[in-house]
Amino acid sequence: LSAPFDCGRNWSFYEDYPEHYNDSIAKLYLGHNYSIASGLKYVILDDNIGYVRCESFENSIGDGNVSVMLQSLASCNGLIIDVRGNGGGLLTAAQTFASHFTNEKILVGYVSHKTGKGRNDFSSPRKLYLEPASGGVRWQKRVVVLTNRAVYSAANDFVKCMMYCPNVTIMGDRTGGGSGMPFNSELPNGWQVRYSAVVYYDRDMQHTEFGIAPDISLVMSGADIAQKKDTFIEKAREYLSTSQ
């Protein structure tokens, strides 16, 4: 709820929890010679693990750009996609990116739309599918997606899609949620109101509005931070180097 003098909000979904992310340390993994495709920053780490930093879905992501990036990382033993702090943006961008990690059409959840003024006036759940990318490169090796409480909206939907793709493991903290597509309106007094207009579920009909739990939970280590290491990235590298 926005007025000229303030913005009513409830950001406790991430403010009440550790951030589990240090931008200065994460940038050390990218270095100075990273490549960029559709806003995705990527590099090959010294243990031959690909690292992709996805900070936002505010801008569109093209199949061609994703394919060029994945082709550049094709020699890697595994891939880390870091979406920590990604507040969302374009749902189409999130789904386009995710479509390069499956070879088959997969059920990823359900959606219900508001149909009336009553609290529970929603349509019957409709199935949602992730279609594989129609052209270009599809990644066939293992992937780790790194998450924290600040993964929200379209980024939350990206995690929901990725958790059903083959060879993908979600690691980190629970996501922030906020997956319902927003609706904007103006009240008679001129204030602006913005709210989720639909309800999203995973394919087990579990509500995703309040976040998605990772497959493997992680906590940022103070000792690692002191050594300018990112616990999440290091655990992902270890996992991809040892798991089969």
Side-chain angles (χ1 to χ4, degrees):
L1 183 65
S2 301
F5 54 84
D6 201 1
C7 177
R9 69 276 183 191
N10 180 0
W11 293 334
S12 60
F13 66 90
Y14 73 91
E15 288 182 333
D16 290 350
Y17 301 90
E19 187 174 8
H20 294 309
Y21 180 75
N22 184 301
D23 187 58
S24 298
I25 294 176
K27 285 180 178 178
L28 296 176
Y29 290 85
L30 282 172
H32 299 293
N33 298 315
Y34 60 86
S35 301
I36 305 175
S38 289
L40 303 169
K41 301 175 182 178
Y42 63 98
V43 70
I44 299 177
L45 303 177
D46 56 16
D47 55 356
N48 202 37
I49 298 296
Y51 175 69
V52 180
R53 176 68 180 132
C54 179
E55 300 172 320
S56 172
F57 287 116
E58 289 293 336
N59 299 311
S60 62
I61 292 179
D63 284 315
N65 296 107
V66 176
S67 293
V68 168
M69 178 187 73
L70 294 180
Q71 185 64 50
S72 299
L73 301 172
S75 63
C76 295
N77 296 327
L79 187 64
I80 299 170
I81 302 176
D82 191 347
V83 295
R84 288 176 294 173
N86 187 326
L90 300 174
L91 190 61
T92 52
Q95 293 174 343
T96 296
F97 191 17
S99 71
H100 287 264
F101 297 91
T102 180
N103 294 320
E104 299 177 346
K105 178 180 178 180
I106 52 177
L107 176 67
V108 295
Y110 300 84
V111 62
S112 292
H113 294 265
K114 200 78 169 71
T115 56
K117 296 181 180 180
R119 180 179 179 86
N120 297 312
D121 291 343
F122 286 92
S123 65
S124 299
R126 177 175 61 86
K127 292 180 178 179
L128 296 172
Y129 292 93
L130 177 67
E131 299 272 1
S134 57
V137 177
R138 298 183 198 149
W139 186 263
Q140 306 297 315
K141 301 178 185 179
R142 290 170 294 148
V143 180
V144 168
V145 179
L146 297 180
T147 60
N148 66 356
R149 292 278 180 163
V151 173
Y152 195 71
S153 192
N156 190 74
D157 192 79
F158 172 76
V159 174
K160 182 190 70 177
C161 291
M162 290 296 288
M163 71 181 184
Y164 297 120
C165 292
N167 304 316
V168 175
T169 302
I170 311 300
M171 297 179 67
D173 197 5
R174 188 179 189 89
T175 62
S179 53
M181 294 181 67
F183 180 81
N184 296 278
S185 184
E186 182 176 321
L187 301 179
N189 63 356
W191 293 6
Q192 299 290 322
V193 62
R194 186 171 185 265
Y195 57 91
S196 294
V198 302
V199 178
Y200 278 104
Y201 307 90
D202 64 19
R203 67 184 188 187
D204 297 318
M205 284 301 296
Q206 297 299 307
H207 207 302
T208 61
E209 181 70 15
F210 303 108
I212 298 169
D215 297 312
I216 301 175
S217 296
L218 298 176
V219 176
M220 189 71 82
S221 164
D224 281 344
I225 293 175
Q227 298 179 37
K228 295 185 177 180
K229 292 183 179 180
D230 187 304
T231 307
F232 284 38
I233 296 176
E234 293 298 329
K235 290 292 185 182
R237 295 172 75 176
E238 179 182 346
Y239 178 83
L240 290 170
S241 297
T242 59
S243 60
Q244 299 299 321

